[in-house]
Amino acid sequence: MKRNKITLAGVGLLAASAMALAGCASSGGDSDTDDSGDNGGDASAIITVNGSEPQNPLIPTNTNEVGGGKILDAMFAGLIGYAADGAVFNDVAEEITVEDPQHLTVKIREGLTFTDGEEVTADNFIQAWNYGALASNEQLSSYFFEDIEGFSYDADSELTGLEQVDDYTFTIALNKPASDFAQRLGYSAYYPLPDVAFEDIETFGENPIGNGPYMLDGEGAWQHDVGIDLVTNPDYDGPRTPANGGLSITFYASQDAAYNDLLAGELDVLDAIPDSAFETFESDLGDRAVNQPAAIFQSFTIPDRLEHFGGEEGNLRRQALSMSINREEITDVIFQGTRTPASDFTSPVIDGWSDSLAGAEVLEFNPEKAVELWAQADAISPWSGEFQIAYNADGGHQAWVDATVNSIKNTLGIEASGAPYPTFAEARALITDRTIQTAFRTGWQADYPGLYNFLGPLYATNAGSNDGDYSSEEFDSLLAEGISATDAEEANSLFQQAQEVLLRDLPALPLWYSNVVGGYSETVENVQFGWNSVPLYEQITKVG
């Protein structure tokens, strides 16, 4: 039987019938992961960076947004990690063996600990995953356990597919083939939890105890809506050893404020340039400006439950709205070349991406067709009210939302506007509990570098990030076929067919692909942004 192994250093990935790590390679001696501790900076210095208030307490299985994800990724170590280019390297895992697309064996390294001194064992993964999968716990990332035997959306049940072999080894049996499952295991939903977490999970979420490169800087380190302070974990033994003394993450109310602090030398690293500075940031920062492709997709979602957006009428209106948006003009004028109009639901930086999907013309600006489709919808039920797109005002979205609704208004002759909410957390709370009464901004920063990650979590029936509650048997079937395929080319072809269903139904309206647009001050060196737009914080050093 052929096997596929993920190994940390010195051994490349073996070719296998399973395609779990197709396109990835061992990190080996890659400076992205294992020599960050010797790059000439002040290893005791604190690096100041931007962030946003997490939507929820910091529980790995209940965090599916970027602000909380950044913090968890710094505080926890998973079985694997991802280098700057998306290549896989081992972190807690010593070896992951893929026997076939439904059976994996995981062996973790011995002697690793959480910051409270508890040893990291196989049981810490099994307990954490079972907690995340229980229906009664209502975890946002429960979808990531759907493929493991025993999972149920309807009732509490144990993940029977997880079996502990010994203290450092466990096996994973899947209920259906998932050929990229090993590649997913660096995502935060799969992090281990110490025993203390299960004594009071909510309290733990406010003061998490991890096993990663950084840890909370004592009691009160997390000041809600202000920031969070992390220091290095002296007991971390892995490939992401920090070359600095910690991270001070500020939750800015606006990207403009963050950019002004960067220019003033009050902020070391910024991963989100405000649109007001798109025209000048590269000249302002010189070779410290960052503008590179990243696995980020932007859209907005209109739930079926909203008036005028169910059934055939809703489908016609979604198509009309899509064709009334001049994406080329918005990306040129508003984003100054830092965005690219979308032609699918994924990202050009991911293997298998295609710009020639059937039905992609619905993403092109076509005012005449848009008006025609809107009239067909009116024949079913005349339009009433105002079309709005909700967004978080602290995220720098007003300019593009205003441009988008103006394009809709001018094309269709209807009232359209943005609906701002002060913070990301406030907007997400309404979206998550399904009380929001307008369309709303959505998007995806990939959890791992694979096409499936842009499709399954967002549009599969019952998926944790399926904010519009979309459900299509045809899409689900194609998705299942794709993830079962052991040949990468066949799998990507099926994922492309699944996207053609999405282009017909438009559960979300694709807008554009985002570059990571950021920069850093003169006070730091060794700044590198990863495939998913997040800086590799552990590498950054202070000058001098």
mmCIF file with all atom_site columns, all heavy atoms in Angstrom, residues 75-86:
data_model
loop_
_atom_site.group_PDB
_atom_site.id
_atom_site.type_symbol
_atom_site.label_atom_id
_atom_site.label_alt_id
_atom_site.label_comp_id
_atom_site.label_asym_id
_atom_site.label_entity_id
_atom_site.label_seq_id
_atom_site.pdbx_PDB_ins_code
_atom_site.Cartn_x
_atom_site.Cartn_y
_atom_site.Cartn_z
_atom_site.occupancy
_atom_site.B_iso_or_equiv
_atom_site.pdbx_formal_charge
_atom_site.auth_seq_id
_atom_site.auth_comp_id
_atom_site.auth_asym_id
_atom_site.auth_atom_id
_atom_site.pdbx_PDB_model_num
ATOM 1  N N   . MET A 1 75 ? -0.580 31.545 19.635 1.00 0.00 ? 75 MET A N   1
ATOM 2  C CA  . MET A 1 75 ? -0.557 30.916 20.955 1.00 0.00 ? 75 MET A CA  1
ATOM 3  C C   . MET A 1 75 ? -0.576 29.393 20.921 1.00 0.00 ? 75 MET A C   1
ATOM 4  O O   . MET A 1 75 ? -0.259 28.747 21.924 1.00 0.00 ? 75 MET A O   1
ATOM 5  C CB  . MET A 1 75 ? -1.748 31.409 21.778 1.00 0.00 ? 75 MET A CB  1
ATOM 6  C CG  . MET A 1 75 ? -1.708 32.882 22.117 1.00 0.00 ? 75 MET A CG  1
ATOM 7  S SD  . MET A 1 75 ? -3.079 33.354 23.208 1.00 0.00 ? 75 MET A SD  1
ATOM 8  C CE  . MET A 1 75 ? -2.679 32.406 24.684 1.00 0.00 ? 75 MET A CE  1
ATOM 9  N N   . PHE A 1 76 ? -0.985 28.831 19.797 1.00 0.00 ? 76 PHE A N   1
ATOM 10 C CA  . PHE A 1 76 ? -1.111 27.376 19.706 1.00 0.00 ? 76 PHE A CA  1
ATOM 11 C C   . PHE A 1 76 ? -0.232 26.825 18.590 1.00 0.00 ? 76 PHE A C   1
ATOM 12 O O   . PHE A 1 76 ? 0.098  27.528 17.632 1.00 0.00 ? 76 PHE A O   1
ATOM 13 C CB  . PHE A 1 76 ? -2.561 26.974 19.449 1.00 0.00 ? 76 PHE A CB  1
ATOM 14 C CG  . PHE A 1 76 ? -3.459 27.081 20.649 1.00 0.00 ? 76 PHE A CG  1
ATOM 15 C CD1 . PHE A 1 76 ? -4.010 28.299 21.010 1.00 0.00 ? 76 PHE A CD1 1
ATOM 16 C CD2 . PHE A 1 76 ? -3.740 25.962 21.421 1.00 0.00 ? 76 PHE A CD2 1
ATOM 17 C CE1 . PHE A 1 76 ? -4.836 28.408 22.120 1.00 0.00 ? 76 PHE A CE1 1
ATOM 18 C CE2 . PHE A 1 76 ? -4.563 26.056 22.538 1.00 0.00 ? 76 PHE A CE2 1
ATOM 19 C CZ  . PHE A 1 76 ? -5.116 27.283 22.885 1.00 0.00 ? 76 PHE A CZ  1
ATOM 20 N N   . ALA A 1 77 ? 0.121  25.569 18.721 1.00 0.00 ? 77 ALA A N   1
ATOM 21 C CA  . ALA A 1 77 ? 0.816  24.823 17.674 1.00 0.00 ? 77 ALA A CA  1
ATOM 22 C C   . ALA A 1 77 ? -0.048 23.631 17.298 1.00 0.00 ? 77 ALA A C   1
ATOM 23 O O   . ALA A 1 77 ? -0.506 22.890 18.171 1.00 0.00 ? 77 ALA A O   1
ATOM 24 C CB  . ALA A 1 77 ? 2.189  24.368 18.149 1.00 0.00 ? 77 ALA A CB  1
ATOM 25 N N   . GLY A 1 78 ? -0.275 23.456 16.009 1.00 0.00 ? 78 GLY A N   1
ATOM 26 C CA  . GLY A 1 78 ? -1.033 22.320 15.528 1.00 0.00 ? 78 GLY A CA  1
ATOM 27 C C   . GLY A 1 78 ? -0.133 21.185 15.109 1.00 0.00 ? 78 GLY A C   1
ATOM 28 O O   . GLY A 1 78 ? 1.089  21.228 15.266 1.00 0.00 ? 78 GLY A O   1
ATOM 29 N N   . LEU A 1 79 ? -0.735 20.162 14.569 1.00 0.00 ? 79 LEU A N   1
ATOM 30 C CA  . LEU A 1 79 ? 0.051  19.032 14.093 1.00 0.00 ? 79 LEU A CA  1
ATOM 31 C C   . LEU A 1 79 ? 1.014  19.450 13.000 1.00 0.00 ? 79 LEU A C   1
ATOM 32 O O   . LEU A 1 79 ? 2.162  19.005 12.950 1.00 0.00 ? 79 LEU A O   1
ATOM 33 C CB  . LEU A 1 79 ? -0.883 17.931 13.588 1.00 0.00 ? 79 LEU A CB  1
ATOM 34 C CG  . LEU A 1 79 ? -1.742 17.266 14.663 1.00 0.00 ? 79 LEU A CG  1
ATOM 35 C CD1 . LEU A 1 79 ? -2.826 16.398 14.019 1.00 0.00 ? 79 LEU A CD1 1
ATOM 36 C CD2 . LEU A 1 79 ? -0.877 16.435 15.608 1.00 0.00 ? 79 LEU A CD2 1
ATOM 37 N N   . ILE A 1 80 ? 0.542  20.312 12.105 1.00 0.00 ? 80 ILE A N   1
ATOM 38 C CA  . ILE A 1 80 ? 1.386  20.827 11.027 1.00 0.00 ? 80 ILE A CA  1
ATOM 39 C C   . ILE A 1 80 ? 1.252  22.344 11.001 1.00 0.00 ? 80 ILE A C   1
ATOM 40 O O   . ILE A 1 80 ? 0.411  22.938 11.672 1.00 0.00 ? 80 ILE A O   1
ATOM 41 C CB  . ILE A 1 80 ? 0.988  20.252 9.647  1.00 0.00 ? 80 ILE A CB  1
ATOM 42 C CG1 . ILE A 1 80 ? -0.449 20.669 9.274  1.00 0.00 ? 80 ILE A CG1 1
ATOM 43 C CG2 . ILE A 1 80 ? 1.155  18.742 9.624  1.00 0.00 ? 80 ILE A CG2 1
ATOM 44 C CD1 . ILE A 1 80 ? -0.843 20.334 7.848  1.00 0.00 ? 80 ILE A CD1 1
ATOM 45 N N   . GLY A 1 81 ? 2.100  22.980 10.209 1.00 0.00 ? 81 GLY A N   1
ATOM 46 C CA  . GLY A 1 81 ? 2.012  24.405 9.947  1.00 0.00 ? 81 GLY A CA  1
ATOM 47 C C   . GLY A 1 81 ? 2.227  24.660 8.479  1.00 0.00 ? 81 GLY A C   1
ATOM 48 O O   . GLY A 1 81 ? 2.505  23.734 7.700  1.00 0.00 ? 81 GLY A O   1
ATOM 49 N N   . TYR A 1 82 ? 2.105  25.923 8.095  1.00 0.00 ? 82 TYR A N   1
ATOM 50 C CA  . TYR A 1 82 ? 2.252  26.301 6.691  1.00 0.00 ? 82 TYR A CA  1
ATOM 51 C C   . TYR A 1 82 ? 3.319  27.374 6.557  1.00 0.00 ? 82 TYR A C   1
ATOM 52 O O   . TYR A 1 82 ? 3.286  28.395 7.253  1.00 0.00 ? 82 TYR A O   1
ATOM 53 C CB  . TYR A 1 82 ? 0.928  26.829 6.127  1.00 0.00 ? 82 TYR A CB  1
ATOM 54 C CG  . TYR A 1 82 ? -0.242 25.899 6.361  1.00 0.00 ? 82 TYR A CG  1
ATOM 55 C CD1 . TYR A 1 82 ? -1.239 26.214 7.272  1.00 0.00 ? 82 TYR A CD1 1
ATOM 56 C CD2 . TYR A 1 82 ? -0.337 24.683 5.676  1.00 0.00 ? 82 TYR A CD2 1
ATOM 57 C CE1 . TYR A 1 82 ? -2.303 25.362 7.498  1.00 0.00 ? 82 TYR A CE1 1
ATOM 58 C CE2 . TYR A 1 82 ? -1.396 23.814 5.904  1.00 0.00 ? 82 TYR A CE2 1
ATOM 59 C CZ  . TYR A 1 82 ? -2.384 24.163 6.815  1.00 0.00 ? 82 TYR A CZ  1
ATOM 60 O OH  . TYR A 1 82 ? -3.430 23.309 7.038  1.00 0.00 ? 82 TYR A OH  1
ATOM 61 N N   . ALA A 1 83 ? 4.263  27.139 5.655  1.00 0.00 ? 83 ALA A N   1
ATOM 62 C CA  . ALA A 1 83 ? 5.313  28.110 5.373  1.00 0.00 ? 83 ALA A CA  1
ATOM 63 C C   . ALA A 1 83 ? 4.744  29.279 4.573  1.00 0.00 ? 83 ALA A C   1
ATOM 64 O O   . ALA A 1 83 ? 3.572  29.290 4.195  1.00 0.00 ? 83 ALA A O   1
ATOM 65 C CB  . ALA A 1 83 ? 6.448  27.435 4.612  1.00 0.00 ? 83 ALA A CB  1
ATOM 66 N N   . ALA A 1 84 ? 5.570  30.261 4.295  1.00 0.00 ? 84 ALA A N   1
ATOM 67 C CA  . ALA A 1 84 ? 5.117  31.472 3.614  1.00 0.00 ? 84 ALA A CA  1
ATOM 68 C C   . ALA A 1 84 ? 4.466  31.164 2.273  1.00 0.00 ? 84 ALA A C   1
ATOM 69 O O   . ALA A 1 84 ? 3.516  31.844 1.866  1.00 0.00 ? 84 ALA A O   1
ATOM 70 C CB  . ALA A 1 84 ? 6.289  32.434 3.423  1.00 0.00 ? 84 ALA A CB  1
ATOM 71 N N   . ASP A 1 85 ? 4.947  30.141 1.582  1.00 0.00 ? 85 ASP A N   1
ATOM 72 C CA  . ASP A 1 85 ? 4.402  29.803 0.266  1.00 0.00 ? 85 ASP A CA  1
ATOM 73 C C   . ASP A 1 85 ? 3.297  28.753 0.338  1.00 0.00 ? 85 ASP A C   1
ATOM 74 O O   . ASP A 1 85 ? 2.833  28.265 -0.691 1.00 0.00 ? 85 ASP A O   1
ATOM 75 C CB  . ASP A 1 85 ? 5.514  29.333 -0.665 1.00 0.00 ? 85 ASP A CB  1
ATOM 76 C CG  . ASP A 1 85 ? 6.212  28.060 -0.171 1.00 0.00 ? 85 ASP A CG  1
ATOM 77 O OD1 . ASP A 1 85 ? 5.870  27.577 0.941  1.00 0.00 ? 85 ASP A OD1 1
ATOM 78 O OD2 . ASP A 1 85 ? 7.092  27.559 -0.892 1.00 0.00 ? 85 ASP A OD2 1
ATOM 79 N N   . GLY A 1 86 ? 2.875  28.393 1.545  1.00 0.00 ? 86 GLY A N   1
ATOM 80 C CA  . GLY A 1 86 ? 1.828  27.384 1.714  1.00 0.00 ? 86 GLY A CA  1
ATOM 81 C C   . GLY A 1 86 ? 2.342  25.974 1.874  1.00 0.00 ? 86 GLY A C   1
ATOM 82 O O   . GLY A 1 86 ? 1.553  25.054 2.104  1.00 0.00 ? 86 GLY A O   1
#
